[in-house]
Amino acid sequence: MQIRLNSYPLRLFGTRNRSFLHAWFQKRDWLEYSVKADAAFCYPCRKFSSGTRLDPAFTTKGFHDWKHAVETNKGFNRHEMSKEHLTCYSMWKEKVSRIDKGKEISTLLYAEQIQRNRYYMSSLIDVVEFLVSNQLPLRGKIEAFDHMDEGGSGLFMSLLEFSIRKDPQLAEIVKTIPKNATYTSHEIQNELVAVMSSIVTDAIVKEIGDSWFTVKVDGTRTLEITERLLVMTIANSGDAQTITNMILSELSKAGLNASKILSQVYDGAAVMSGKYGGVQRLLQEKVGREIPYVHCLNHQLHLVVVHALSAEKAIQDFFSICNALYNFCRKPTVALQYRGDRLKRLLDQRWTGHLATVAVIISSFEDITSVLEHVSSARTYGAEVRMEAVGLLREVTDESFIFICHLIHKVLLLLNPANIILQGEDTDLLTGMKLVSSAAECVRNLRSEDEFCILCDTVTASTKDTPVSAKRRRQVNKNLSEYVVEETTGANIIDKVELRRLYFSALDHILGEIEVRFSERNSKFAAALAALDPENETFLDVKSIKAIMDLTNSTIVETECIVAKQYISRIKEEESQQMMTTRRLLSEHHKVLEAMPSVLSALKLAVTFGASTAMCENSFSVLKNVFTDNRRAMNHTRKSQLVQLAFERDLTKKMRNEWKDLVLRKFNSSTRRLQLF
């Protein structure tokens, strides 16, 4: 400890005060000074002495005779010429040399064992990584290392036992591992999971760096509370203030700066979207600037479909029949006879189930009517089942049912591409808006008499081959035998006039819902994003882009826009067959755009704007697999770490090779019985 102070404590020698001088350190690398003792010591003599002949002044008591410190044959000079000092000094330099060359005695003795320890720990990490990546439980009832091959030992111990049997090198190494350092307890498992989770979080934060980012939040009713999954956390209550504080707290813990939030994406719940007291408003107030709120496009599209379809009583009845048909075909005795595609369950939260249902009805219509006809006429089934089959057969073979089925199928197929792409982790708001606009245009094109007639012809063609027994013949009333019957009336008969009304009404409801729910996108930010689309006529319009640049307190340089627009225009002429997107532009021409930094920054902001919380919702599926009925006792920290590792599987897989050494070092940071480094 060669401590250099501006002044050292004074000691009185005769009539003169004297003190230690830091100049004495020069040419005396062995000399050290203790502030507490106000004395000098010899480092090698303190550390490497083995006898009792050493001068205690330089080893235990401390030397402070500053008057004679540098006199010949006294003080420092006398000590450093002593035989004992020279021996200790030589031993010290030998150790330093071995350390520098990696040949320290302890290293030479334990190098092989350290390698064995690292191989063993590496195997444990591989087992944990495999289990958490595949959303599998780790623990069992038995944790004893010597009984890992017994039943009830859990997947962690069982997989380790399998690895030992298949890996001869690991089997030999296990024999050298101390019984009190097998590292297979649930505490060690938790620690490895925590270490791996922290590495994934660090990687996500590093990936973001100083860039702008979008916050996406969604909740699940199991009380647990992008695109990387940064964290799953618990909100102590469901009010906006608590959720806002939680968001800011988790960002801070992870090392992310809330001032870099570009946009926020939530569902339409009032607690999140409220204009005055919702999370989106409170977050802006706490950060102290405007942070645009985007109502999840996926959620909006879902509401469009649900509200539009529920506006017509006939369509409501149609899906009630579909639900009854699904439940009927699930009966064990009926399922044995049914040969068609599996009917899907209808979910209020997901209209994709509605699309899947009508698709199955169309593709397996003959199988459905066949099984209904069979059950309705077979005495082997109970009376209630036969009566249910008769009723369903009558409903599904009705022309109005088939017409609605084909109508719903056609409309939802047009909306489905937008729904699928909006669930992607790299979908931005600009792309999402264009998708919804395109889907609306496709639905609008259906609104014509020609399209209605095409649909009617499709229905007629699909029903002409239906067995006569499936479609019961209507008996003409004998009292009307001398009359020409032009039209009939009845609760279950819908004529072409009603079908036409239903057709146009359903389309109008869908287009109306899209207009109402997505008209808010026609804001200054929508215009700014449109101006950052290479295919838009307002591309790189400075006034339009200003709105999004103001969010980050940056400016757009007009001359850079002029040059960039000209450059991109030439590229589009050369590639006339390919559509240029903002994301493709950034990917393929990033180097050129670096010469126009304000344009590059604006384009990056465009693709950072959030569009959907679909990825948040996808993490709930992982949560469901991790948090099974048999694992309800798991604490939240462990549960959150397991969900993150499973959800961010591409990062977790790096623990196998690229990040293996990092895991070992973090795990080894606390006191361990097994030496790993």
Side-chain angles (χ1 to χ4, degrees):
M1 299 291 292
Q2 294 194 329
I3 299 173
R4 289 169 167 77
L5 304 177
N6 292 328
S7 62
Y8 293 85
L10 297 172
R11 288 178 181 266
L12 184 62
F13 291 87
T15 59
R16 185 177 175 183
N17 286 320
R18 298 177 184 272
S19 68
F20 182 88
L21 299 176
H22 59 70
W24 294 340
F25 288 136
Q26 294 180 12
K27 297 183 181 181
R28 296 184 182 92
D29 57 350
W30 55 268
L31 182 63
E32 57 183 359
Y33 174 81
S34 169
V35 175
K36 183 177 180 181
D38 184 29
F41 292 86
C42 175
Y43 176 77
C45 291
R46 284 197 307 107
K47 290 292 185 180
F48 297 92
S49 63
S50 57
T52 58
R53 299 180 59 187
L54 289 176
D55 185 355
F58 285 91
T59 55
T60 57
K61 294 181 179 181
F63 177 85
H64 47 72
D65 184 5
W66 310 137
K67 181 178 179 180
H68 304 101
V70 292
E71 287 187 12
T72 305
N73 296 325
K74 291 184 179 181
F76 301 152
N77 293 325
R78 178 182 177 182
H79 176 76
E80 68 180 346
M81 295 304 295
S82 67
K83 181 180 179 181
E84 291 78 8
H85 171 80
L86 292 173
T87 301
C88 293
Y89 188 86
S90 177
M91 294 173 65
W92 174 39
K93 290 302 179 181
E94 175 68 18
K95 179 176 177 66
V96 171
S97 176
R98 287 186 177 276
I99 291 174
D100 291 341
K101 296 177 181 178
K103 294 181 179 180
E104 190 176 1
I105 293 176
S106 60
T107 304
L108 293 172
L109 290 174
Y110 298 109
E112 291 186 6
Q113 184 60 49
I114 288 174
Q115 290 302 314
R116 288 194 289 266
N117 294 346
R118 287 168 61 86
Y119 191 92
Y120 175 72
M121 279 305 306
S122 178
S123 299
L124 296 185
I125 293 169
D126 289 341
V127 170
V128 173
E129 182 274 324
F130 175 82
L131 294 175
V132 298
S133 295
N134 291 282
Q135 307 171 32
L136 298 171
L138 281 76
R139 302 178 195 166
K141 296 179 180 179
I142 300 174
E143 290 186 352
F145 186 79
D146 293 334
H147 301 283
M148 67 172 70
D149 58 344
E150 295 183 7
S153 59
L155 290 180
F156 175 81
M157 298 297 286
S158 297
L159 193 54
L160 177 59
E161 188 269 336
F162 177 80
S163 300
I164 292 172
R165 282 193 288 112
K166 292 297 182 180
D167 187 343
Q169 184 179 354
L170 180 59
E172 287 299 316
I173 289 174
V174 167
K175 297 175 183 178
T176 69
I177 301 298
K179 296 299 182 183
N180 62 350
T182 56
Y183 292 171
T184 55
S185 68
H186 67 272
E187 289 91 350
I188 294 295
Q189 294 173 33
N190 287 351
E191 191 169 347
L192 283 173
V193 168
V195 166
M196 295 166 74
S197 178
S198 70
I199 291 174
V200 168
T201 300
D202 291 344
I204 293 171
V205 174
K206 184 178 180 181
E207 187 178 34
I208 296 171
D210 195 41
S211 302
W212 293 86
F213 58 90
T214 288
V215 170
K216 298 185 178 184
V217 178
D218 205 349
T220 174
R221 294 184 180 275
T222 54
L223 300 180
E224 295 84 15
I225 122 116
T226 285
E227 214 130 60
R228 292 293 185 188
L229 177 62
L230 186 67
V231 66
M232 293 191 91
T233 186
I234 294 177
N236 295 325
S237 65
D239 62 282
Q241 189 70 51
T242 300
I243 296 174
T244 304
N245 291 337
M246 178 196 68
I247 293 171
L248 294 173
S249 173
E250 293 299 334
L251 290 175
S252 177
K253 286 180 188 176
L256 292 173
N257 189 349
S259 66
K260 302 294 286 187
I261 300 175
L262 179 66
S263 64
Q264 42 185 333
V265 184
Y266 317 124
D267 60 23
V271 69
M272 305 300 293
S273 63
K275 291 184 178 180
Y276 303 106
V279 170
Q280 63 100 357
R281 171 52 56 188
L282 295 180
L283 187 66
Q284 296 181 69
E285 292 175 357
K286 287 183 177 291
V287 175
R289 65 173 181 79
E290 182 180 15
I291 305 175
Y293 157 67
V294 178
H295 185 169
C296 169
L297 298 191
N298 249 120
H299 188 251
Q300 290 277 64
L301 194 59
H302 168 74
L303 293 176
V304 165
V305 174
V306 170
H307 287 201
L309 297 184
S310 62
E312 284 290 341
K313 182 66 168 61
I315 297 179
Q316 289 184 41
D317 291 344
F318 168 81
F319 283 114
S320 295
I321 296 169
C322 290
N323 205 39
L325 186 62
Y326 166 78
N327 291 324
F328 180 80
C329 290
R330 289 186 66 205
K331 297 178 186 292
T333 53
V334 177
L336 289 173
Q337 300 296 325
Y338 179 58
R339 296 291 180 266
D341 296 332
R342 183 170 171 269
L343 289 162
K344 307 298 181 181
R345 181 186 177 191
L346 301 180
L347 297 173
D348 293 335
Q349 300 86 355
R350 291 287 182 275
W351 60 264
T352 48
H354 296 63
L355 173 58
T357 293
V358 294
V360 170
I361 291 175
I362 291 173
S363 64
S364 302
F365 186 75
E366 186 175 338
D367 294 301
I368 292 171
T369 55
S370 177
V371 74
L372 290 174
E373 183 182 19
H374 169 75
V375 173
S376 64
S377 60
R379 292 291 177 180
T380 54
Y381 295 93
E384 291 186 3
V385 177
R386 295 201 310 275
M387 290 172 61
E388 188 176 359
V390 169
L392 286 172
L393 181 62
R394 178 184 176 185
E395 294 292 345
V396 300
T397 54
D398 190 274
E399 286 189 1
S400 63
F401 179 90
I402 300 171
F403 178 86
I404 293 173
C405 186
H406 281 271
L407 171 61
I408 299 299
H409 186 245
K410 201 165 192 175
V411 171
L412 294 189
L413 274 180
L414 293 176
L415 298 178
N416 197 45
N419 176 64
I420 293 173
I421 296 176
L422 284 172
Q423 294 183 43
E425 64 181 70
D426 59 350
T427 301
D428 54 84
L429 185 58
L430 176 59
T431 304
M433 290 164 54
K434 291 171 67 177
L435 284 168
V436 173
S437 177
S438 299
E441 188 62 31
C442 291
V443 174
R444 193 173 289 109
N445 292 337
L446 291 179
R447 202 186 182 289
S448 68
E449 186 66 25
D450 289 342
E451 290 292 336
F452 170 71
C453 293
I454 291 172
L455 184 61
C456 289
D457 293 342
T458 301
V459 172
T460 302
S462 65
T463 58
K464 67 179 182 179
D465 295 328
T466 303
V468 175
S469 57
K471 298 180 66 177
R472 289 170 47 188
R473 296 181 181 276
R474 292 193 178 94
Q475 300 295 325
V476 179
N477 192 319
K478 293 180 180 179
N479 295 326
L480 300 176
S481 59
E482 297 180 2
Y483 297 86
V484 175
V485 180
E486 294 182 338
E487 185 178 358
T488 61
T489 60
N492 295 317
I493 301 174
I494 301 180
D495 58 20
K496 199 167 185 177
V497 174
E498 173 60 15
L499 291 180
R500 181 181 286 103
R501 185 205 67 78
L502 178 63
Y503 177 83
F504 287 101
S505 176
L507 295 180
D508 287 343
H509 277 115
I510 290 175
L511 293 172
E513 286 286 337
I514 291 176
E515 177 64 26
V516 169
R517 297 190 177 280
F518 291 93
S519 60
E520 64 186 70
R521 311 296 174 195
N522 299 321
S523 62
K524 58 181 180 180
F525 297 114
L529 292 173
L532 292 167
D533 176 12
E535 296 293 330
N536 194 284
E537 60 183 12
T538 64
F539 181 55
L540 292 183
D541 177 67
V542 175
K543 291 182 179 179
S544 299
I545 297 172
K546 186 177 182 299
I548 197 171
M549 298 298 283
D550 286 345
L551 291 175
T552 61
N553 197 27
S554 53
T555 57
I556 186 76
V557 180
E558 186 171 3
T559 53
E560 290 184 7
C561 288
I562 295 172
V563 175
K565 191 172 183 178
Q566 182 65 27
Y567 170 74
I568 295 166
S569 176
R570 289 185 177 180
I571 293 174
K572 290 171 63 178
E573 289 177 3
E574 295 172 1
E575 303 174 356
S576 57
Q577 301 300 318
Q578 294 188 38
M579 186 177 76
M580 179 63 74
T581 65
T582 308
R583 196 172 293 275
R584 179 171 164 240
L585 184 61
L586 285 169
S587 174
E588 298 179 5
H589 303 280
H590 190 276
K591 279 291 182 183
V592 175
L593 291 172
E594 286 180 352
M596 297 159 270
S598 69
V599 174
L600 178 61
S601 176
L603 293 171
K604 286 183 176 180
L605 292 176
V607 297
T608 304
F609 246 83
S612 167
T613 60
M615 291 299 290
C616 293
E617 296 177 7
N618 290 346
S619 68
F620 298 153
S621 298
V622 178
L623 173 63
K624 182 179 178 182
N625 294 336
V626 170
F627 199 46
T628 60
D629 291 338
N630 295 328
R631 307 172 78 184
R632 294 289 174 179
M634 186 192 312
N635 65 45
H636 174 72
T637 300
R638 175 181 165 86
K639 176 172 56 187
S640 175
Q641 292 166 349
L642 289 174
V643 170
Q644 184 193 42
L645 290 171
F647 189 79
E648 297 296 345
R649 191 176 182 184
D650 62 322
L651 296 180
T652 304
K653 285 182 177 180
K654 293 186 178 183
M655 311 289 176
R656 300 174 184 176
N657 299 299
E658 185 179 345
W659 292 350
K660 178 67 69 64
D661 195 59
L662 183 57
V663 179
L664 288 170
R665 288 188 179 278
K666 280 205 168 191
F667 180 74
N668 193 60
S669 59
S670 57
T671 303
R672 298 292 176 195
R673 292 190 179 93
L674 288 184
Q675 189 173 351
L676 301 176
F677 292 93

